[in-house]
């Protein structure tokens, strides 16, 4: 089943998706894994204009994709409102993963996201929690991070120094540069048990969107163990 999931997801994050050769039986066999791992939209995009689109499994994937599209719009509003409330309190977060990486896909709805990952400087963390604990913010499902833990080998100052500005709705927010974000994506995948195929699609989408000026030294860092972890995750994404 793992090979089937990998086959169905192969290249699904690209503007031009590769031709898919599979059967209704194979799609049905792994539909539960696709639905349970956030991969439904990507596979629906691959089968949308094939003979598989009228199968029962395809219908479930299509419904999941529609739901992801609705949630993407609602999530955009929640992120905007959370950012605006934090900015009003003079707090500058960095948005990680999820929405911060969704623009690498042809459609934002292809990359579902649940909570809002925001990283804060240690000195602003308590103030940020106070804002997020207000009635206006409690419904936003924010996952606050006090800087980044040691696993990532990145200080908040390093993260901030090379961060970029992204527009989310009417709000602007900082996101990591692609080099740092690729490192974060790789290590986050391993940190959470390396179980979610969508995370490897994130890694692949980030890799294939890099420019000629992409700085591998910045991405890999100086810690050999972290370098090996990032390299192994990239190798796994390539293999699958």
């Amino acid at each position: 089943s793992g090979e089937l999931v990998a086959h169905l997801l192969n290249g699904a994050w690209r503007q031009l998706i590769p031709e898919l050769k599979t059967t209704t039986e194979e799609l049905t066999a792994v539909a539960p894994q696709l639905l349970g791992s956030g991969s439904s939209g990507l596979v629906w995009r691959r089968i949308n204009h094939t003979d598989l689109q009228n199968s029962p499994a395809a219908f479930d994937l299509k419904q999941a994709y529609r739901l992801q599209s609705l949630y993407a719009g609602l999530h955009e509003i929640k992120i905007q409102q959370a950012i605006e409330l934090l900015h009003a309190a003079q707090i500058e977060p960095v948005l990680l993963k999820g929405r911060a990486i969704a623009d690498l896909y042809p459609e934002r709805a292809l990359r579902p996201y649940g909570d809002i990952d925001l990283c804060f400087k240690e000195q602003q963390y308590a103030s940020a929690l106070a804002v997020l604990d207000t009635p206006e913010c409690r419904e936003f499902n924010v996952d606050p991070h006090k800087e980044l833990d040691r696993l990532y080998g990145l200080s908040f100052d390093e993260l901030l120094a090379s961060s970029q500005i992204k527009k989310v709705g009417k709000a602007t927010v900082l996101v990591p540069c692609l080099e740092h974000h690729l490192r974060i994506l790789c290590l986050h995948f391993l940190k959470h048990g390396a179980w979610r195929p969508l995370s490897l699609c994130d890694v692949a989408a980030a890799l294939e969107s890099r420019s000629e000026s992409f700085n591998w030294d910045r991405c890999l860092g100086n810690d050999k163990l972290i370098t090996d972890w990032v390299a192994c995750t990239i190798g796994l994404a390539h293999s699958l």
Side-chain angles (χ1 to χ4, degrees):
S1 61
E3 291 178 352
L4 276 177
V5 170
H7 174 63
L8 289 164
L9 286 172
N10 180 35
W13 57 86
R14 295 177 183 148
Q15 289 286 349
L16 297 176
I17 51 177
E19 182 182 355
L20 177 64
K21 294 182 179 179
T22 192
T23 66
T24 301
E25 291 74 22
E26 289 175 334
L27 182 65
T28 302
V30 295
Q33 286 96 320
L34 300 172
L35 291 164
S37 64
S39 307
S40 312
L42 287 167
V43 175
W44 167 247
R45 182 169 178 262
R46 291 201 73 190
I47 65 174
N48 186 15
H49 300 293
T50 71
D51 294 338
L52 294 169
Q53 65 177 315
N54 295 317
S55 66
F59 177 79
D60 292 338
L61 297 176
K62 181 180 182 180
Q63 293 296 83
Y65 165 74
R66 286 172 166 173
L67 192 60
Q68 286 176 197
S69 299
L70 291 172
Y71 277 139
L74 291 171
H75 204 70
E76 191 90 350
I77 296 169
K78 290 181 178 181
I79 296 174
Q80 175 190 314
Q81 292 174 341
I83 296 300
E84 287 174 343
L85 288 167
L86 289 163
H87 282 174
Q90 305 298 311
I91 299 168
E92 187 66 76
V94 177
L95 180 66
L96 306 175
K97 301 174 286 168
R99 176 61 184 86
I101 213 74
D103 285 338
L104 299 181
Y105 290 82
E107 305 170 39
R108 287 180 196 154
L110 296 175
R111 200 331 183 155
Y113 27 88
D115 54 14
I116 303 170
D117 287 285
L118 294 177
C119 187
F120 300 96
K121 193 173 184 65
E122 184 174 3
Q123 292 88 331
Q124 291 191 323
Y125 186 70
S127 299
L129 291 184
V131 172
L132 297 174
D133 195 39
T134 58
E136 303 97 311
C137 278
R138 284 177 196 151
E139 63 178 279
F140 295 154
N141 195 24
V142 173
D143 183 9
H145 303 270
K146 186 194 294 183
E147 308 211 347
L148 289 172
D149 66 39
R150 293 175 60 188
L151 169 72
Y152 297 100
L154 275 173
S155 69
F156 190 83
D157 287 339
E158 287 177 293
L159 189 69
L160 205 59
S162 59
S163 61
Q164 301 167 342
I165 297 175
K166 180 181 288 292
K167 194 89 170 174
V168 179
K170 297 179 181 179
T172 56
V173 64
L174 295 176
V175 298
C177 66
L178 188 60
E179 290 91 342
H180 285 162
H181 222 160
L182 179 57
R183 186 199 303 192
I184 291 168
L185 291 170
C186 289
L187 299 183
H188 184 264
F189 171 71
L190 297 178
K191 179 181 178 181
H192 289 274
W195 72 271
R196 200 180 190 203
L198 181 66
S199 298
L200 290 179
C201 293
D202 286 347
V203 170
L207 279 167
E208 294 184 3
S209 67
R210 73 192 191 280
S211 66
E212 292 183 0
S213 62
F214 186 89
N215 187 330
W216 278 106
D217 289 335
R218 176 187 285 171
C219 174
L220 298 174
N222 299 317
D223 186 313
K224 185 179 183 303
L225 188 58
I226 289 177
T227 298
D228 287 346
W229 286 340
V230 173
C232 285
T233 306
I234 291 173
L236 184 60
H238 174 71
S239 176
L240 291 174

